[in-house]
Amino acid sequence: MTSLCIRRRMSGHVRSSMLWTRLKNPATTLLALLLLLVAQSSKTASSKSQPCGGFLQQTLRLTRLIQKESVELIKTYKASQGEMSHLFCKMSIPNVPEPNISGLEPSERMESIHRNLQAFSPHLRRVYEQQTDLQPPDSLLLVQLGIVGTYSRNLEALMQAFYRKAFPNLQDWPAGAPTSLPPPQNIFQQKVYGCVVLKTYKEFLLNVSRELRTIKGKVCRGRRNLL
């Protein structure tokens, strides 16, 4: 019993490392390879010599990839939550970030995207932590949650690098306000919360993808046919 409690309290980083060593399913191995490729592409895009259009291209590609993975993640999530899981995403949960992007100018809308990414990050982490107590340690759901979380951190870094390149005369955006997480929840509330967070995050990523395609003609001029 003591060892079980200790295992459940392990940090997300350590828990993810243990999961990777247990992956034997070809599908999860493919996800692991995709994670490594995205991490490498993010490092490449962070180069100071990368042109503005290159940052935009990398950011849009990663956004599309996360959005695609989020669709599969929600399917896995619902399949792992038991009865009534098809209703969980339709319920309402307070304090979940909005999927909408605000602002008039491209720079303002980029700031809005970045703030939302920062706001979603602790919620995604909370969902992962809750599911570690509800799922077996080798669960595909935990693997996919860990991968989407890592993708999101990479996207946040890419977004910031793109902003600096596209708007060099503007100051870096300030850190976002602290995000309000829900109070302690029972198991049913955790299941609903996780589904609502993932569904809203998927909607946000779709909005980000559309936004990046919209602003491509307004910034990084002279870089045609990149996207």
Side-chain angles (χ1 to χ4, degrees):
M1 183 66 180
T2 302
S3 61
L4 177 60
C5 293
I6 293 174
R7 184 166 65 251
R8 286 182 173 178
R9 293 174 182 171
M10 295 174 67
S11 68
H13 175 75
V14 175
R15 193 68 176 274
S16 296
S17 298
M18 292 180 64
L19 284 172
W20 294 125
T21 63
R22 299 182 182 186
L23 292 181
K24 295 181 180 180
N25 188 298
T28 54
T29 301
L30 176 59
L31 289 174
L33 292 175
L34 284 172
L35 174 61
L36 293 175
L37 290 173
V38 170
Q40 183 61 40
S41 67
S42 298
K43 291 180 181 179
T44 301
S46 298
S47 171
K48 291 183 179 180
S49 61
Q50 181 85 350
C52 174
F55 280 115
L56 180 56
Q57 181 184 38
Q58 291 283 347
T59 305
L60 180 56
R61 284 178 176 174
L62 182 53
T63 301
R64 287 170 172 167
L65 178 58
I66 306 174
Q67 202 275 332
K68 181 180 178 181
E69 292 298 329
S70 69
V71 173
E72 296 303 315
L73 173 58
I74 291 176
K75 292 179 182 179
T76 304
Y77 186 91
K78 289 180 178 179
S80 67
Q81 302 305 306
E83 296 181 358
M84 298 178 63
S85 61
H86 63 288
L87 299 176
F88 292 163
C89 287
K90 299 178 181 179
M91 298 182 182
S92 177
I93 293 290
N95 299 324
V96 174
E98 292 291 330
N100 302 322
I101 300 169
S102 61
L104 299 177
E105 298 296 326
S107 60
E108 295 172 343
R109 297 183 71 80
M110 291 296 298
E111 291 179 22
S112 176
I113 292 173
H114 189 259
R115 284 195 303 270
N116 281 12
L117 282 171
Q118 288 183 317
F120 272 108
S121 181
H123 286 278
L124 293 173
R125 186 164 57 249
R126 172 64 66 85
V127 173
Y128 180 91
E129 291 169 352
Q130 290 177 341
Q131 289 300 313
T132 58
D133 291 332
L134 301 176
Q135 305 297 327
D138 58 350
S139 167
L140 175 60
L141 175 60
L142 295 181
V143 175
Q144 290 179 321
L145 282 169
I147 289 175
V148 168
T150 301
Y151 282 172
S152 299
R153 290 189 293 273
N154 286 340
L155 180 60
E156 187 176 335
L158 274 173
M159 198 71 67
Q160 188 168 17
F162 169 56
Y163 180 88
R164 289 172 177 171
K165 202 75 173 182
F167 311 104
N169 296 325
L170 299 179
Q171 294 182 346
D172 283 349
W173 44 53
T179 301
S180 297
L181 292 173
Q185 300 168 308
N186 60 38
I187 292 178
F188 177 78
Q189 290 171 328
Q190 290 179 22
K191 291 181 177 183
V192 173
Y193 167 73
C195 201
V196 172
V197 168
L198 296 180
K199 182 200 72 169
T200 309
Y201 188 57
K202 181 194 71 172
E203 294 171 355
F204 167 65
L205 292 171
L206 184 59
N207 290 337
V208 173
S209 180
R210 290 170 177 167
E211 185 65 29
L212 292 175
R213 292 192 63 84
T214 298
I215 69 172
K216 74 172 185 176
K218 301 177 182 179
V219 300
C220 304
R221 289 182 174 84
R223 299 285 177 176
R224 298 181 178 178
N225 300 324
L226 277 169
L227 305 180

